[in-house]
Amino acid sequence: MKFVLLFGPQAVGKMTVGHELTKLTDLKLFHNHMTIELVHHFFDYGTKEGSRLVHSFREQIFEEVAKSDLYGLIFTYVWAFNEQGDWDYVEKVCRIFEAQGAEVYLVELEANVEERRERNKSEFRLEQKPTKRNLEWSDNELITSMDKYRLNSLDGEIKRKNYLRINNTHLSAKEMARMIKEKFSL
């Protein structure tokens, strides 16, 4: 079992890179908006109920996949490094897989803000993430979140052995997927 956590700020390309990585491997993609979009029909993600449901669905999926005979899972996540709760959440998710003997791989993506703002409007992103279709709101969230959260790690902050950080400002999702596959022999 392989568990790949693809993380980075909004619109950095996590879902698109994950999608390309599924084409090169037998990994399944579970992008973070799969649960957000499901729950959004009933509760906004920022509400207590919405957050509880999103986290509950994700945890159940993680536990079932970790116990399964699937090759592995890619999960995308926006990790706020200045929030202890996010550190705790990442550890909890990794432990779910490690408890079943899985190898865990952390892949951090970063890109400049201008590129992320362009990607925020991409057809594939908007097709997969209906809650991002209000482009004015989504762009504003992308910009204002940088004032509140640190969405990329500091050098040396992540201590796990299977860790890769890539600035993908000028790389295609296909190039990124090939790099990840080769680096971790997926």
Side-chain angles (χ1 to χ4, degrees), residues 51-61:
S51 294
R52 186 173 55 243
L53 284 169
V54 165
H55 289 287
S56 175
F57 288 142
R58 288 177 182 174
E59 190 169 329
Q60 290 177 58
I61 291 169

Side-chain angles (χ1 to χ4, degrees), residues 36 39-40 43-48 50-52 54-55 58 77:
I36 292 170
V39 169
H40 183 73
F43 302 103
D44 287 339
Y45 178 58
T47 64
K48 181 177 68 173
S51 294
R52 186 173 55 243
V54 165
H55 289 287
R58 288 177 182 174
Y77 186 63

Side-chain angles (χ1 to χ4, degrees), residues 80-137:
F81 286 91
N82 58 324
E83 296 286 325
Q84 185 60 48
D86 280 16
W87 283 90
D88 296 343
Y89 180 73
V90 167
E91 272 308 305
K92 179 180 182 180
V93 172
C94 290
R95 278 195 310 270
I96 289 171
F97 285 90
E98 289 168 336
Q100 298 298 323
E103 283 287 326
V104 172
Y105 306 91
L106 301 184
V107 179
E108 179 174 6
L109 304 182
E110 62 180 332
N112 68 41
V113 175
E114 295 78 21
E115 181 64 24
R116 289 175 45 222
R117 290 179 86 179
E118 280 304 308
R119 291 176 184 172
N120 195 43
K121 302 178 239 177
S122 77
E123 185 178 334
F124 184 60
R125 177 178 172 83
L126 299 177
E127 173 190 312
Q128 297 294 313
K129 301 177 179 184
T131 56
K132 298 290 185 180
R133 292 179 186 160
N134 178 337
L135 293 177
E136 184 178 337
W137 172 85

